[in-house]
Amino acid sequence: MMPGEALALRFRSFVGKTNSLDFPSPYWHPFDMVAPCTITGDSIAVGLYPHLPCHMAYSKIGATTKTITQNAGPALGTMIISAGSNDWRPSESSFEALRQKYEGRPVIWVLPGPKFQEAREMIMNVAKKWGDTVLH
């Protein structure tokens, strides 16, 4: 399995990816029929993008949350955000600013790795406030 594929399999229940046969894939969910998506973020987003049927708003290896917020374009459907793994000093306000950019859209946050515990907690706070989904 390629890097990003395992995580992408977990996303399919949110953003839709069925096989070419007349019946749903094992990862099919009713939302699949109505849920286009857009992805933005850091290297995690770069790795996920080829495995998801999403549009790219902005993704760059090494991008900080502030850079993502400044460069991410408009979204289509569900917004998938990967941020926090490149922030020297993460701040909840930077995650909040990124989330506000996509107000009115459903958002799925992809948490950075366990060594970024401070950023993970901040993202979970923002996600809870907005009622977003968080993928651990």
Side-chain angles (χ1 to χ4, degrees):
M1 196 172 276
M2 299 282 296
E5 280 184 302
L7 194 53
L9 290 176
R10 294 172 66 191
F11 269 121
R12 289 182 177 157
S13 66
F14 291 107
V15 296
K17 180 99 178 195
T18 57
N19 61 25
S20 60
L21 303 175
D22 290 334
F23 56 89
S25 76
Y27 307 102
W28 181 86
H29 187 279
F31 292 146
D32 291 351
M33 295 183 275
V34 293
C37 63
T38 305
I39 190 164
T40 193
D42 52 24
S43 57
I44 297 169
V46 171
L48 280 173
Y49 176 69
H51 305 288
L52 296 173
C54 292
H55 302 279
M56 171 107 45
Y58 173 82
S59 294
K60 183 173 179 169
I61 295 170
T64 64
T65 302
K66 184 176 180 179
T67 303
I68 296 164
T69 303
Q70 291 171 344
N71 293 290
L76 173 66
T78 301
M79 190 69 205
I80 300 169
I81 301 174
S82 169
S85 60
N86 299 304
D87 296 351
W88 175 250
R89 289 194 176 134
S91 74
E92 196 163 319
S93 63
S94 65
F95 298 115
E96 181 69 31
L98 178 56
R99 180 57 180 95
Q100 285 176 349
K101 187 167 187 163
Y102 298 105
E103 186 173 357
R105 296 228 172 262
V107 168
I108 300 170
W109 290 90
V110 181
L111 292 180
K115 74 178 188 177
F116 303 103
Q117 190 59 35
E118 187 178 8
R120 291 169 62 95
E121 290 172 8
M122 292 175 186
I123 291 167
M124 287 190 283
N125 290 340
V126 171
K128 184 177 180 180
K129 176 182 170 186
W130 287 84
D132 297 335
T133 301
V134 176
L135 189 65
H136 298 264

